[in-house]
Amino acid sequence: MFEEFGAPKENSVYSDKATDFRFETFSENKKSEYFVAEQNGKILGGCGYFPTEGLPADCAEIVKFYLCPDSRGMKIGTKLFSLAEECARLAGYKKLYIESFPQFSSAVSMYKKNGFTELSSRLGNSGHTATTIHLIKEI
């Protein structure tokens, strides 16, 4: 996805060494979940929420929200995103935070249509200092 849209690779999730250990991270943290859409054994996309270090206790970050190119436009992303948001709310979170790039304008547009508003600066300590768009939503 980063190559497809020309998003920065350095200081982003793309170069984050912790990405290689996300399964373990989600498994160990009971206040996080990750959802995967698959069809006929093919992964179509995924989306999760996680209490990123440095965020307020009542806030989780939407993380690793990606779709395969051929699954876009099928409402799979909307369903994954809605599921992550609802489950985060049920887990006790009151706010959701997202970091992104202008290159992912379709996703940013979807976030804003779903009630996210832009912040003037980042929250928390994701370590992804290349992101330039930071959004939040009360849930």
Side-chain angles (χ1 to χ4, degrees), residues 9-67:
K9 294 179 182 178
E10 290 300 315
N11 298 314
S12 70
V13 68
Y14 189 92
S15 63
D16 186 347
K17 301 286 184 220
T19 299
D20 295 339
F21 304 99
R22 281 298 167 215
F23 176 80
E24 293 85 356
T25 303
F26 277 92
S27 296
E28 293 167 3
N29 190 307
K30 302 302 178 208
K31 295 261 311 180
S32 67
E33 290 181 271
Y34 193 78
F35 307 98
V36 176
E38 72 82 26
Q39 183 177 46
N40 300 323
K42 180 182 178 190
I43 294 176
L44 303 176
C47 182
Y49 66 91
F50 189 82
T52 300
E53 179 184 325
L55 289 178
D58 67 346
C59 185
E61 182 178 1
I62 293 290
V63 294
K64 313 296 182 268
F65 181 29
Y66 301 110
L67 293 173

Side-chain angles (χ1 to χ4, degrees), residues 42-109:
K42 180 182 178 190
I43 294 176
L44 303 176
C47 182
Y49 66 91
F50 189 82
T52 300
E53 179 184 325
L55 289 178
D58 67 346
C59 185
E61 182 178 1
I62 293 290
V63 294
K64 313 296 182 268
F65 181 29
Y66 301 110
L67 293 173
C68 294
D70 53 347
S71 66
R72 294 182 195 141
M74 300 169 58
K75 303 291 184 195
I76 293 168
T78 300
K79 290 176 184 173
L80 283 168
F81 189 81
S82 295
L83 180 61
E85 182 176 321
E86 178 62 13
C87 289
R89 188 185 63 73
L90 291 172
Y93 293 107
K94 305 288 184 212
K95 298 175 190 166
L96 286 176
Y97 171 72
I98 299 172
E99 297 179 336
S100 194
F101 295 100
Q103 291 87 339
F104 301 144
S105 60
S106 293
V108 172
S109 177

